[in-house]
Amino acid sequence: MCCSFSCFSLPLLQLLISFLLISSVSTNQNARKNHTDKNLFPSNMNPLELETLFKIMESMSSDQNWRMSHPNPCNPGSSWLGIECKTGIDNHFHVTRLDFGTPPNPTCKNTATFPSEIFELPNLESIFIFQCFTHTSTAISFPENKISSSSLQQLSLRSNPALVGSIPPHISSLKSLQILTLSQNRLTDQIPVEIFSLNSLLHLDLSYNMLTGMIPFQIGNLRGLLGLDLSYNRLTGPIPAAIGQLLVLQKLDFSSNSLTGSIPDSIKQLNSLIFLALSNNKLGGRFPSGLTDLQNLQYFIMDDNPMFRQLPLEFGHLRKLQELRLANSGYSGTIPPIYSQLANLSALSLQNNRLTGEIPTGFGNLSHIYHLNLSRNFLFGVVPFNSSFLKRLGRNLDLSSNPGLCLSPSEAFGVNVGIDVCGSNKTASSIRPLKKSDAPFQGPKPFILTIFWVFLALHQILFSV
Ligand SMILES: *[C@@H]1O[C@H](CO)[C@@H](O)[C@H](O)[C@H]1NC(C)=O
Ligand SMILES: *[C@@H]1O[C@H](CO)[C@@H](O)[C@H](O)[C@H]1NC(C)=O
Ligand SMILES: *[C@@H]1O[C@H](CO)[C@@H](O)[C@H](O)[C@H]1NC(C)=O
Ligand SMILES: *[C@@H]1O[C@H](CO)[C@@H](O)[C@H](O)[C@H]1NC(C)=O
Ligand SMILES: *[C@@H]1O[C@H](CO)[C@@H](O)[C@H](O)[C@H]1NC(C)=O
Ligand SMILES: *[C@@H]1O[C@H](CO)[C@@H](O)[C@H](O)[C@H]1NC(C)=O
């Protein structure tokens, strides 16, 4: 099932997810298009709105001719990919959707700059600008002294390497906004607190930018939020306790920032949470004991943090867990045997810690596991896996660089998991101290996630609203 998606890298997944979002929205919109529009005479556009649209096209499109070639861009027959219109009660066409940058939608010219006029289109519901601002630096801006389109539900500006500057506080005027995606741009400065007054927001994605400062406590105001992604920025300070107010949150990703402190106790209130990622930060301290309240959690991804403590027993009570990733974080002590009660666990990453003791015998009973990395620890004893387990995991089982581990000779035939058969002469010679470069905590590393279907689920939830 989901196994075949497990090796997708994060950017690739995001691409795929966005494609799904985009294609689904466009299907919805197409279905809404009413072809009886043809019978409305005259059903042209309000001249002001038409002129605004021409201005937007001129600042964006590589096709500079289209004012001539599409004098009535909303009319059926002359309609052009990347634009969708609806007939309003005034019997005029109104633009409801603009989509730039993803073929077959219009591509952007090298000198494309942010068209603040989009916020003057009165009926606009969604905007997608993907890989558009690539050469000429430009910033998100709003028209001066004009009321911004309050019907806008989805604003998606993604993968625009020349989109710079800060997120303008004025974004709070987009009162109907449900999906705000500003991922993979070069946005800087702090996240404006005004963003947290957008109380219709369902999905907020500011990932892969250069945002700085702390995560404002006002984030707790977004009571309807289902998905929150601030990963791959330069955020500092603690995770605000107010995060516990996001009671319906299903996906939370703060990976790859410089967050400090410990996971706040209030996290236990997020009992809709399915996906939680905190990898590659500077988090430490104890795990909140309320962690066991997160009974819907399926993914806990927290590699690369300076934890330097024992593995918490709490995870053993999160029975829906499918992925648990706690690599490169200085964990010591033994692997809690209670982890073998995670019957649905499919991936467990504990590599590059300081774990000692034996592998819990119950691990051999984890019937859904397909990826198990325990390499670079100080585990010892006979590996408790039989030959069918070893064959099932194959290359996805990594026990290497645990000097004291060995395979039972009866199970070892034809497998290579990086360790030797018990009693063989090689075992003795392979005992060697960890090299300095093998030491835990090697700093940031891209990590691999199995989040495809979580997004799929979120996306279905979002668009069934
Ligand atoms: C278009 O609208 C007309 C009248 O409002 C309605 O009868 C018709 O079923 C609609 N067609 C589609 C395809 O939605
Ligand atoms: C384990 O996964 C199966 C199949 O995906 C599901 O039906 C079951 O409810 C899951 N068990 C738990 C405890 O989540
Ligand atoms: C593994 O499963 C078998 C059969 O369900 C059970 O008898 C055995 O006790 C389990 N082993 C461990 C260590 O949990
Ligand atoms: C290996 O162990 C699993 C889990 O305990 C068991 O279901 C399976 O039958 C065993 N296979 C062999 C070949 O012993
Ligand atoms: C296990 O982790 C080590 C250390 O991070 C890595 O080099 C190795 O590729 C991983 N093995 C598997 C099978 O993922
Ligand atoms: C281990 O090595 C010794 C000497 O090198 C040899 O005599 C012995 O047969 C070897 N044992 C095994 C199990 O390979």
Side-chain angles (χ1 to χ4, degrees), residues 364-365 386 388:
N365 277 358
N386 65 21
S388 51

Side-chain angles (χ1 to χ4, degrees), residues 32-70:
R32 248 183 262 160
K33 223 173 194 175
N34 192 323
H35 290 287
T36 55
D37 287 344
K38 278 177 190 151
N39 306 325
L40 301 168
F41 290 105
S43 61
N44 46 17
M45 290 178 69
N46 173 317
L48 262 176
E49 188 174 342
L50 184 62
E51 188 52 35
T52 305
L53 187 59
F54 284 148
K55 277 192 197 149
I56 294 168
M57 288 308 295
E58 277 155 13
S59 72
M60 298 279 281
S61 177
S62 50
D63 173 9
Q64 288 298 296
N65 238 347
W66 81 275
R67 187 191 277 261
M68 311 285 276
S69 50
H70 299 90

Side-chain angles (χ1 to χ4, degrees), residues 335-341 345 348 350 359-367 369 372 374 384-385 389 392:
I335 301 174
I338 194 175
Y339 286 11
S340 44
Q341 291 179 23
L345 203 60
L348 177 63
L350 297 175
I359 300 173
T361 49
F363 272 27
N365 277 358
L366 291 172
S367 59
I369 200 131
L372 178 59
L374 303 177
F385 304 139
F389 184 99
R392 181 159 59 82

Side-chain angles (χ1 to χ4, degrees), residues 422-426:
C422 305
S424 78
N425 284 1
K426 272 164 80 191

Side-chain angles (χ1 to χ4, degrees), residues 167-307:
I167 303 171
H170 204 64
I171 204 156
S172 60
S173 62
L174 305 173
K175 291 287 176 218
S176 309
L177 217 50
Q178 295 181 1
I179 301 176
L180 177 58
T181 306
L182 303 177
S183 175
Q184 297 163 57
N185 301 302
R186 296 252 163 85
L187 301 174
T188 51
D189 302 321
Q190 308 199 356
I191 302 172
V193 291
E194 286 82 359
I195 236 177
F196 305 116
S197 67
L198 291 170
N199 51 22
S200 301
L201 269 190
L202 303 174
H203 193 85
L204 177 62
D205 181 357
L206 308 179
S207 63
Y208 293 89
N209 281 290
M210 298 182 287
L211 300 170
T212 54
M214 309 226 281
I215 301 172
F217 69 88
Q218 290 91 339
I219 203 162
N221 296 344
L222 299 177
R223 301 294 162 96
L225 213 56
L226 300 173
L228 174 60
D229 190 348
L230 304 181
S231 64
Y232 291 87
N233 278 291
R234 297 171 182 179
L235 301 170
T236 52
I239 299 172
I243 204 81
Q245 294 165 22
L246 307 180
L247 296 181
V248 295
L249 198 64
Q250 297 180 3
K251 181 205 161 190
L252 176 59
D253 193 344
F254 286 164
S255 316
S256 294
N257 282 288
S258 296
L259 301 176
T260 50
S262 52
I263 301 175
D265 286 337
S266 61
I267 198 105
K268 66 170 187 234
Q269 288 152 238
L270 305 186
N271 47 30
S272 302
L273 209 56
I274 294 169
F275 178 95
L276 176 57
L278 300 170
S279 290
N280 196 20
N281 277 292
K282 296 175 178 162
L283 297 168
R286 61 175 186 88
F287 283 94
S289 58
L291 210 57
T292 51
D293 292 357
L294 302 182
Q295 282 298 318
N296 285 305
L297 203 62
Q298 296 176 15
Y299 299 82
F300 188 93
I301 318 285
M302 196 177 169
D303 299 320
D304 300 289
N305 278 281
M307 297 303 291

Side-chain angles (χ1 to χ4, degrees), residues 25 47 59 91 98 101 109-110 186 207 213 311 314 317 352 355 367 371 381 434:
V25 171
S59 72
N91 237 6
L98 282 176
K109 58 178 181 182
N110 277 351
R186 296 252 163 85
S207 63
L311 290 170
E314 279 81 1
H317 298 283
N352 211 13
L355 299 169
S367 59
H371 183 107
L434 279 184

Side-chain angles (χ1 to χ4, degrees), residues 136 144-145 250 284 334 416:
T136 309
E144 274 175 41
N145 306 321
Q250 297 180 3
T334 56
N416 181 7

